[in-house]
Amino acid sequence: MSANSFGKRFRITTFGESHGPALGVVVEGCPSGLELDLKLLQRNLDRRRPNQSAITTSRNETDAYEILSGVYEGKTLGTPLTLIVRNNDQKSQDYNDIKAAPRAGHSDDVWKEKFGHTDHRGGGRSSGRETVTRVLAGSIAQMLCHKLAPELEVLAFSYQIASHTLSEAELKSVSFDKIESSSTRFPGAASSAIEDLLKKSKAEGESHGGIIRTVIKGVPAGIGQPVFHKLKSDLTAALMSIGATTGVALGNGVEQIELPGTQFHRNSQDVYGGVRGGISTGEQMQIDTYFKPTSSILDVAKKGRHDPCILPRAVPVVESMVYLVLADHMLWARTDKLE
């Protein structure tokens, strides 16, 4: 099982299982002298952690991080950064049933078939708990991105949950504060209705999916590496590597794909999503990531501790994966031409 690393210049390797002692990440390629914002790191972890509201799993993890290497006097050394989060609230007995009866839609059976010997507790390494390592690494990438491109902003939010979708008017007023003031991270009038739906679903063992929209502003023009590491292909690969994702779309070109070229390629740049030829144009980017309903449903969900919808906690994970790609490509772009 060797595919646990991601990135070329800014490269991460993650490790750990849901019910093991800890999960962590090794970050290589981060330049020396980067001052770490430790409050930002913990804030991002808190946004992803379990038991943050009545509509998330009740697994009680504080997700306090530890930095084991690569930092001295608050700044990176340029050597490998190692960060971990320890597991403190495992209830492995809750998963005894799925050892013999895999969950529908989950990867319990295919992992067993592929690897032979697996850890079924909490899903092992296929658990959503694995994403805490992405947020650890993504937070470092976020700090680096803001150093290299101070105007850069990555803002993800629940655009659709079940049948509830943000209106055009609501989309125009999305802000970080509005997103974070909602337990569903749905910055619209239906937030309370969605919360009620998810509370009811959690009690009944039901689950729901939806769409996380990511808006990226201040992206430097000219990042992306054609032909096999186009910015859009690396972003898509990064987001599709998150568990429960079913699709990714850049811009609104998918919605307008039926238009003839003379209309599709009119003056509006929205259809391109800020990328043409695999290279960033410097314009605002928009990415929609589609998530299926949570696989733990009915009796499995009622007996254990599961999210009825992963979108609220997946928002910081999506942001982290976007930052990892942008950090990688911004470092890569430094070698594209002589100044």
Side-chain angles (χ1 to χ4, degrees), residues 18 94-128 292 294-297 300 306:
S18 179
D94 291 347
Y95 295 86
N96 289 339
D97 291 345
I98 70 170
K99 188 173 185 179
R103 291 166 285 182
H106 210 281
S107 57
D108 303 322
D109 55 340
V110 292
W111 275 60
K112 182 68 174 177
E113 178 67 23
K114 180 175 178 62
F115 297 109
H117 180 62
T118 57
D119 182 356
H120 70 283
R121 303 169 304 166
R125 186 142 174 78
S126 68
S127 167
K292 67 182 180 180
T294 318
S295 298
S296 295
I297 53 175
V300 171
H306 306 280

Side-chain angles (χ1 to χ4, degrees), residues 59-121:
R59 179 170 175 171
N60 191 20
E61 299 283 1
T62 59
D63 285 353
Y65 66 88
E66 298 175 40
I67 300 177
L68 304 185
S69 68
V71 178
Y72 179 65
E73 294 182 340
K75 295 181 180 180
T76 57
L77 291 167
T79 55
L81 277 155
T82 306
L83 303 95
I84 66 169
V85 164
R86 297 188 186 277
N87 292 322
N88 296 307
D89 188 33
Q90 306 97 314
K91 289 188 178 180
S92 301
Q93 67 274 11
D94 291 347
Y95 295 86
N96 289 339
D97 291 345
I98 70 170
K99 188 173 185 179
R103 291 166 285 182
H106 210 281
S107 57
D108 303 322
D109 55 340
V110 292
W111 275 60
K112 182 68 174 177
E113 178 67 23
K114 180 175 178 62
F115 297 109
H117 180 62
T118 57
D119 182 356
H120 70 283
R121 303 169 304 166

Side-chain angles (χ1 to χ4, degrees), residues 230-309:
K230 296 177 180 179
L231 184 58
K232 64 178 181 180
S233 61
D234 281 5
L235 283 168
T236 301
L239 294 169
M240 284 297 289
S241 74
I242 302 171
T245 51
T246 59
V248 175
L250 270 71
N252 58 17
V254 171
E255 300 170 6
Q256 302 184 44
I257 202 69
E258 78 282 357
L259 296 178
T262 50
Q263 295 182 44
F264 187 93
H265 298 291
R266 59 191 187 279
N267 293 330
S268 172
Q269 299 292 312
D270 295 343
V271 292
Y272 308 126
V275 180
R276 282 187 281 115
I279 301 170
S280 63
T281 64
E283 296 157 313
Q284 179 172 302
M285 296 179 63
Q286 175 185 301
I287 310 172
D288 285 343
T289 308
Y290 295 74
F291 289 84
K292 67 182 180 180
T294 318
S295 298
S296 295
I297 53 175
L298 302 176
D299 287 343
V300 171
K302 293 176 185 178
K303 292 177 181 178
R305 301 177 296 176
H306 306 280
D307 296 89
C309 175

